[in-house]
Amino acid sequence: MTVASQIFVRVNDRKKVESIRIRPNHTTKEIKSVLCAAAEVSEQNTDYDTVLKLYSGAKTLLPIGPNIPKNSGETPYQLWVKLVPKTSRIAPDESKKLMESLKATASVMGEVPKLKNEVLELEKRIPTSSKTDLGNRMASIASNSVIPSAELASGVISIPPAPPSASQKPNADPTFHLALLRCSQYDSETVEKILATPRPVFTSHVTEHLKHPTFNIWDYTEVELIGLMENMFAELDLIKTFNINLHVLRNFLARVSVTYNANPFHNFKHCFCVTQMMYGILNVTGTISKLTPLEKLALICATIGHDLDHPGMNNAYQINASTDLTIIYNDISPLENHHAAVLFTMFRDPKLNILKTLPEAQYRECRKQIINCILATDMAKHGEILAKFKGYSADFNFEDQTQRQLLLQMIIKCSDISNEVRPKHISEPWVDNLLEEFFCQSDKEKKDGLPTAPFMDREKVTKPSAQVGFIGFVMIPLFELVSKVLPNMDEPVIQPIKKAHEYYKGMMEAKPAS
């Protein structure tokens, strides 16, 4: 008999806290139905879609499913419920706005011939050098009749600026693209709260546990995770070696935390998990003593920045949807290139630049290693990187810089997909989070008529089927290959992965596909 767990939620802004019992064999759909009942809304409404968002006390988005962590009535989760009109209907208010817009359009369009005549009269009084450009632009407006809706509503039409001439550049700063935009628009209020909070103090037990793959991330708030990252910098002796200003480091980590989006999986806690696993692998294998200080600095910066500003949609979606990132990066690892660009755009700010004390030659080397590591997390390059490392693994040479750089890439790759190294109660919520993110992408792709992947389709994949394939064909070969170069990986790292593989195989056998 399965044992039910109890969670407590507060719906929207109500004072009353609802108690809900969940069993491990409940489906996500069943749990959503229970949450809807607690919120006193119906899932069967033909006019609206019901959107549910569940947040912890730290304002972290939680995946809705059978593995929602237990809480207490004193620390209830916040359940936000929103009814969204179905796209197949136009709400009365929207219909009214549409009619008003059409009337405004008709009114303004009647004025276009008059405006064109006035411009022609004005043109006679403009110097010859400016006539052609202005006349062409106004003629284009009049003939194409493309006028922004805001101008239609106001009845005022603005003339667009002239395009830059051949001798002019539209923007003198070549980095003025999405990375700069993302770094200039962030949650400054949260950053200020983090910086105003006293640095947390950790016991020796916590800092020692931090060096092991079994570390439980769910026990800590985001402010504490930032403090633990600071501890990693100190333990790796990076603060002293590179004279890193502690305030700059804390400011950088606080900014990083808000530059990760609130995705179910690719969020700041995932960033911490990857960074902590990298730190754990270096410690349990003794590799921490084999890397140079600059390599350790590059590796921790790469793990911290490896998914900055991840939009929750993978590279396949970016390419199929022809997003701005694919235009900027020509379909080549658009997300990974963006993550690296955002990281180094942050480093351009002196208040965030933890690399500013590096001499030019060291900075260039560190930058190269960071970029190579982040780009290696693109799974499209997985086979290529593994094949290259396999060629070195039998007789790895730590004196060869090419081989050392490839080892850093393998370490970050292992860390990026390492959740199953952790105990099941720590790792399994991450599986639910990842599937939720996958399902959201697949739903959007279906809605937009884009290609979909079977492993992201909620109607085709289950948690055990997804994990059995991924662990067996991706994780185990990767970690076993790395273990040929790094010692002491079997017991603390590889055996937990194999146990997870057996766990999900057993789950599949217990509940065969219908």
Side-chain angles (χ1 to χ4, degrees), residues 354-371:
I354 59 174
L355 306 181
K356 64 183 177 182
T357 61
L358 271 62
E360 181 66 18
Q362 277 195 329
Y363 171 78
R364 289 297 166 192
E365 178 61 24
C366 188
R367 171 174 160 80
K368 181 181 76 172
Q369 292 187 6
I370 292 171
I371 292 172

Side-chain angles (χ1 to χ4, degrees), residues 44-50 83-89:
Q44 310 302 322
N45 196 311
T46 57
D47 296 329
Y48 295 91
D49 289 320
T50 304
L83 299 179
V84 181
K86 291 185 181 293
T87 55
S88 58
R89 297 189 53 179

Side-chain angles (χ1 to χ4, degrees), residues 52-301:
L52 303 175
K53 296 288 185 180
L54 188 66
Y55 293 90
S56 70
K59 297 183 179 179
T60 300
L61 183 65
L62 298 174
I64 296 176
N67 292 301
I68 298 174
K70 295 179 183 178
N71 64 342
S72 67
E74 289 72 32
T75 58
Y77 295 136
Q78 183 69 52
L79 176 65
W80 290 100
V81 183
K82 186 176 182 181
L83 299 179
V84 181
K86 291 185 181 293
T87 55
S88 58
R89 297 189 53 179
I90 300 178
D93 289 346
E94 295 298 321
S95 178
K96 182 178 178 181
K97 291 178 182 178
L98 179 60
M99 291 302 297
E100 291 174 352
S101 178
L102 289 173
K103 289 179 182 178
T105 302
S107 173
V108 174
M109 290 305 296
E111 297 294 322
V112 168
K114 179 181 176 181
L115 289 171
K116 186 175 180 180
N117 289 335
E118 290 178 358
V119 169
L120 293 175
E121 288 296 322
L122 179 62
E123 188 182 20
K124 297 176 182 179
R125 300 194 294 271
I126 296 177
T128 304
S129 61
S130 303
K131 286 182 180 180
T132 303
D133 177 62
L134 181 59
N136 286 342
R137 282 185 282 137
M138 282 307 300
S140 174
I141 291 175
S143 62
N144 293 327
S145 302
V146 179
I147 304 173
S149 58
E151 296 178 11
L152 288 175
S154 65
V156 178
I157 304 174
S158 60
I159 302 173
S165 65
S167 61
Q168 295 176 317
K169 291 184 179 180
N171 195 310
D173 186 349
T175 64
F176 193 81
H177 56 31
L178 293 180
L180 185 61
L181 180 66
R182 184 63 180 95
C183 289
S184 64
Q185 298 178 354
Y186 64 93
D187 184 357
S188 58
E189 183 178 348
T190 297
V191 170
E192 289 172 3
K193 287 181 180 179
I194 292 171
L195 297 177
T197 304
R199 281 185 173 87
V201 178
F202 303 103
T203 64
S204 58
H205 173 76
V206 171
T207 56
E208 184 60 31
H209 191 198
L210 189 65
K211 299 176 181 178
H212 296 271
T214 54
F215 188 81
N216 189 355
I217 181 180
W218 305 115
D219 287 344
Y220 301 91
T221 66
E222 290 198 0
V223 172
E224 289 172 330
L225 296 182
I226 289 172
L228 289 167
M229 281 183 166
E230 289 182 280
N231 177 267
M232 292 183 218
F233 273 87
E235 288 292 318
L236 291 171
D237 201 27
L238 301 177
I239 295 174
K240 181 179 178 181
T241 301
F242 297 104
N243 194 25
I244 298 175
N245 181 283
L246 288 178
H247 181 71
V248 172
L249 175 61
R250 189 167 178 79
N251 201 5
F252 166 68
L253 294 173
R255 184 76 70 86
V256 164
S257 73
V258 300
T259 308
Y260 274 87
N261 296 313
N263 300 313
F265 184 88
H266 289 102
N267 51 43
F268 177 62
K269 287 192 174 181
H270 166 68
C271 155
F272 179 86
C273 277
V274 176
T275 304
Q276 188 274 323
M277 185 59 71
M278 174 277 298
Y279 182 65
I281 289 173
L282 293 189
N283 277 284
V284 299
T285 64
T287 311
I288 192 169
S289 64
K290 294 183 179 180
L291 299 183
T292 67
L294 194 67
E295 287 170 333
K296 287 183 277 191
L297 179 63
L299 199 49
I300 195 169
C301 287

Side-chain angles (χ1 to χ4, degrees), residues 325-381:
L325 288 178
T326 62
I327 302 302
I328 293 172
Y329 297 111
N330 301 313
D331 296 353
I332 301 172
S333 303
L335 287 179
E336 291 73 24
N337 273 297
H338 179 60
H339 305 324
V342 172
L343 177 64
F344 279 95
T345 302
M346 292 174 69
F347 286 153
R348 297 181 72 191
D349 185 341
K351 298 189 297 295
L352 309 175
N353 188 7
I354 59 174
L355 306 181
K356 64 183 177 182
T357 61
L358 271 62
E360 181 66 18
Q362 277 195 329
Y363 171 78
R364 289 297 166 192
E365 178 61 24
C366 188
R367 171 174 160 80
K368 181 181 76 172
Q369 292 187 6
I370 292 171
I371 292 172
N372 286 341
C373 284
I374 293 177
L375 294 182
T377 62
D378 182 358
M379 290 303 291
K381 298 180 178 179

Side-chain angles (χ1 to χ4, degrees), residues 447-467:
K447 180 181 177 183
D448 295 344
L450 298 173
T452 60
F455 70 90
M456 289 186 164
D457 193 329
R458 66 175 74 244
E459 298 175 0
K460 297 179 181 178
V461 70
T462 63
K463 179 160 66 174
S465 68
Q467 290 304 95

Side-chain angles (χ1 to χ4, degrees), residues 295 299 369 372-373 376 381 384-393 396 400-413 481-482:
E295 287 170 333
L299 199 49
Q369 292 187 6
N372 286 341
C373 284
K381 298 180 178 179
E384 173 191 343
I385 295 173
L386 258 64
K388 189 180 295 185
F389 191 79
K390 188 175 182 180
Y392 296 134
S393 61
F396 191 86
D400 187 307
Q401 290 304 312
T402 299
Q403 295 185 39
R404 292 176 71 95
Q405 175 64 66
L406 191 57
L407 178 61
L408 299 186
Q409 292 176 309
M410 293 294 283
I411 291 173
I412 193 174
K413 282 178 63 60
L481 180 58
V482 174

